[in-house]
Amino acid sequence: MRTKIKSALISVYYKDRLDEIVKKLSALGVTIYSTGGTLKFITDLGIKAEAVEDLTGFPEILGGRVKTLHPTVFGGILARRDNPTDLQQLDAHNIPQIDLVIVDLYPFEETVKSKTDEQTIIEKIDIGGISLIRAAAKNFKDTIIVAGREDYGSLITLLDEKQGESDIEDRKRFAAKAFMTSSHYDTQIFNYFNQTQNIPSFKQSFTDAKTLRYGENPHQQGTFYGNLDEVFEILNGRELSYNNLVDVEASVQLVAEFSEPTFAIIKHTNACGLASRDTIAEAYKAAFVCDPTSAFGGVLASNKKIDAATANEMNSLFFEVLTAPDFDADALEILKSKKNRIILKQKIAINNPKMFKSLLNGVLEQDTDKSVELSTSFKTATTAAPTTAQLSDLEFAIIAVKHLKSNGITIVRNKQLIGMGCGQTSRVDALESAIKKSKGFGFDLTDSVMASEAFFPFPDCVNIAHSVGVKAIAQPGGSIKDQDSIDAANANGQAMVFTGVRHFKH
């Protein structure tokens, strides 16, 4: 059933494209009610509008905190057009029906991001707007609710195509989007307050969504919720896939841990290549030779601008994605020679304080692992102490192993990942995998260092590492058999430090 818009209430914070809407409404003979700055905006266009305070007979009070909260307004919105009693009450109290509500909300979320003053933030909690949204959405059988500028285009199309009329399907669609708006808004407010209150409730809300080609596999559907445009500028290539996004997250989080020029090559979220050097071109070359086989089809990340020298070095490699903070123009021209190669310029750092995943019949949430272990906090457990160069490599190795799936082992020399083992059911298997890969690519492990993301329950890894030339080891410590590993390292002449921090990753 179609209904005709005869009256509209408009009260908005953002005025983008509002002029188009009110001109169309005026041309259709719609009576317009409005408030404050919106009323002035409309009348300045030469369009007739009635002040809500004239309709209600009650002025705005409390510095604008109370504008539309009045039975005359809400009665006109909530009255059921097919209910004779509702209509009689409207007539008895001289309340006009309101067929269209256009309202948005104070920018609470944006204010939280840009301000720290609590009073400023609290004043951006909308009361009247959220109430109008809920009322109009509830009465979608009779009323259209437009709950933000994102839907102005849809309303304009509706006005053009149906000349001021709407179907129940139109109104229900607008209502659904309105409840999305109100629920998202309330979630942001709750999460702001819950930063200090720690009420045990999981609430997350994303209003941007992108349907992916598929999920992890072609038979799975996939969607990304969030605004990727805030993080990346896509400079080349096709759309990011589910697996691309997972690996991009792993790659940018890894290189963000380093301040000197560092390059990472990721395969299935694990680093198969990682190196720090004086220039990003040298870092790429050192990262690539770590495992040139796995680098094929990988996801690459740099923490520094990509120059032409680096672009030339990597251009012959087939890779899925390259992320960097910036690109020289000539470097970009080289890299764009492959049309499907995805090139991303990272605009902002990723700094999520929490991470979560669906599991069983609920959700797991935890703090993001932001712990950084520096050599100044290492506890030397052995007679031999690491050299200055070894301490630097141990810091590098700890960061590298922190980002591998458990059980994980990294072998490093001169800030280059020359061996890695990850995702193994035993730490010995992870170490043996690291050694096998390292030797397979021609690395000499003499005078290298090793890091483990968790403690050694037995001294076997210490002894295996010694047999291939590992001279210094970093591990969290904490096993009831720590002394066995310390004794083995002392017998081998190895240095071992405890970090006191475990980095399981599943």
Side-chain angles (χ1 to χ4, degrees):
M1 175 183 173
R2 284 196 175 187
T3 62
K4 187 171 181 62
I5 301 170
K6 299 177 181 177
S7 61
L9 170 62
I10 307 175
S11 180
V12 297
Y13 187 87
Y14 296 105
K15 311 296 191 295
D16 318 53
R17 300 192 72 184
L18 184 62
D19 56 336
E20 295 181 59
I21 293 172
V22 295
K23 287 176 182 177
K24 290 180 184 296
L25 292 174
S26 178
L28 290 167
V30 175
T31 300
I32 298 174
Y33 304 100
S34 192
T35 63
T38 309
L39 177 65
K40 183 178 186 304
F41 176 86
I42 295 171
T43 55
D44 283 351
L45 293 171
I47 294 171
K48 183 180 178 182
E50 184 175 340
V52 166
E53 60 189 65
D54 292 338
L55 175 67
T56 62
F58 200 90
E60 292 183 15
I61 61 171
L62 307 182
R65 279 190 163 196
V66 178
K67 299 178 185 178
T68 57
L69 294 169
H70 194 279
T72 299
V73 173
F74 283 85
I77 293 170
L78 285 164
R80 292 158 290 190
R81 298 346 184 223
D82 60 355
N83 186 310
T85 302
D86 284 6
L87 299 181
Q88 289 170 9
Q89 290 179 355
L90 291 187
D91 289 340
H93 297 284
N94 197 28
I95 297 174
Q97 296 176 16
I98 296 176
D99 308 308
L100 168 65
V101 175
I102 304 174
V103 64
D104 59 13
L105 302 171
Y106 291 156
F108 178 84
E109 190 173 2
E110 294 85 345
T111 304
V112 169
K113 291 177 181 178
S114 62
K115 305 290 184 182
T116 57
D117 174 58
E118 184 176 86
Q119 190 55 42
T120 300
I121 292 170
I122 296 305
E123 285 304 315
K124 287 298 184 284
I125 297 177
D126 205 304
I127 303 301
I130 204 79
S131 302
L132 290 169
I133 287 172
R134 292 181 64 84
K138 177 177 179 176
N139 199 30
F140 67 88
K141 285 186 177 181
D142 302 301
T143 307
I144 301 175
I145 173 62
V146 178
R149 55 183 171 173
E150 299 81 9
D151 288 325
Y152 285 2
S154 298
L155 177 62
I156 289 169
T157 300
L158 180 69
L159 294 174
D160 286 339
E161 292 181 352
K162 297 183 179 177
Q163 293 299 300
E165 294 186 344
S166 65
D167 297 316
I168 185 66
E169 293 81 9
D170 300 322
R171 299 190 294 276
K172 195 167 188 177
R173 174 69 176 173
F174 277 114
K177 296 190 77 174
F179 281 122
M180 178 192 74
T181 297
S182 64
S183 65
H184 177 77
Y185 197 74
D186 285 340
T187 295
Q188 304 311 310
I189 295 170
F190 168 76
N191 285 337
Y192 170 75
F193 279 93
N194 208 36
Q195 291 177 109
T196 55
Q197 301 305 312
N198 296 316
I199 298 168
S201 178
F202 179 82
K203 294 186 183 296
Q204 294 292 330
S205 177
F206 298 92
T207 56
D208 294 295
K210 184 174 183 61
T211 300
L212 305 175
R213 296 196 300 273
Y214 51 80
E216 206 160 5
N217 299 291
H219 63 277
Q220 296 170 274
Q221 293 184 341
T223 306
F224 175 79
Y225 293 96
N227 186 357
L228 280 176
D229 292 337
E230 289 183 354
V231 184
F232 298 116
E233 180 182 353
I234 301 177
L235 303 177
N236 190 66
R238 59 187 181 181
E239 291 188 350
L240 288 156
S241 70
Y242 181 103
N243 293 326
N244 289 156
L245 288 167
V246 173
D247 283 343
V248 165
E249 157 77 7
S251 67
V252 298
Q253 295 287 19
L254 175 55
V255 297
E257 300 252 22
F258 298 91
S259 57
E260 57 191 314
T262 300
F263 207 99
I265 302 173
I266 299 293
K267 212 61 176 296
H268 298 294
T269 75
N270 295 301
C272 59
L274 181 68
S276 296
R277 291 291 184 266
D278 291 336
T279 69
I280 204 64
E282 292 300 317
Y284 166 74
K285 288 191 285 185
F288 174 74
V289 299
C290 294
D291 185 347
T293 301
S294 297
F296 181 86
V299 169
L300 284 53
S302 167
N303 67 346
K304 303 295 181 185
K305 179 189 283 190
I306 299 293
D307 55 20
T310 311
N312 275 318
E313 285 290 340
M314 68 175 67
N315 197 42
S316 60
L317 175 67
F318 168 72
F319 59 87
E320 292 274 347
V321 187
L322 169 62
T323 302
D326 206 354
F327 297 82
D328 283 338
D330 48 359
L332 199 55
E333 185 177 352
I334 294 166
L335 294 167
K336 283 184 173 181
S337 62
K338 307 293 193 299
K339 66 177 183 178
N340 287 331
R341 179 183 282 166
I342 301 171
I343 309 296
L344 302 177
K345 178 179 176 180
Q346 187 173 353
K347 300 177 184 178
I348 60 172
I350 308 299
N351 189 30
N352 294 321
K354 299 283 186 180
M355 57 190 302
F356 49 89
K357 64 169 74 174
S358 60
L359 188 143
L360 300 175
N361 63 339
V363 175
L364 274 178
E365 182 186 65
Q366 66 172 348
D367 296 336
T368 301
D369 186 356
K370 296 182 180 294
S371 179
V372 177
E373 293 78 60
L374 301 176
S375 59
T376 51
S377 65
F378 292 169
K379 178 183 177 182
T380 302
T382 50
T383 303
T387 65
T388 300
Q390 287 171 342
L391 287 172
S392 180
D393 276 351
L394 286 171
E395 288 180 344
F396 184 100
I398 291 166
I399 293 172
V401 81
K402 168 185 171 181
H403 289 265
L404 295 179
K405 293 291 177 62
S406 299
N407 289 305
I409 291 287
T410 53
I411 302 175
V412 169
R413 188 177 59 230
N414 188 26
K415 298 182 181 179
Q416 180 185 29
L417 183 64
I418 61 174
M420 60 77 82
C422 62
Q424 300 298 314
T425 52
S426 83
R427 205 154 300 283
V428 170
D429 287 346
L431 175 55
E432 289 179 342
S433 176
I435 293 169
K436 180 180 178 181
K437 289 179 76 70
S438 183
K439 288 185 174 181
F441 293 116
F443 287 103
D444 180 1
L445 275 62
T446 303
D447 296 329
S448 60
V449 307
M450 177 179 80
S452 171
E453 98 287 12
F455 63 62
F456 298 125
F458 306 104
D460 42 13
C461 285
V462 175
N463 289 323
I464 294 170
H466 169 66
S467 71
V468 295
V470 172
K471 294 295 186 183
I473 300 168
Q475 59 138 318
S479 170
I480 60 173
K481 294 187 177 181
D482 274 346
Q483 193 59 48
D484 291 350
S485 294
I486 294 169
D487 291 343
N490 280 331
N492 298 331
Q494 295 165 296
M496 180 185 290
V497 299
F498 289 169
T499 65
V501 180
R502 189 182 74 184
H503 288 293
F504 272 169
K505 186 179 182 186
H506 297 99

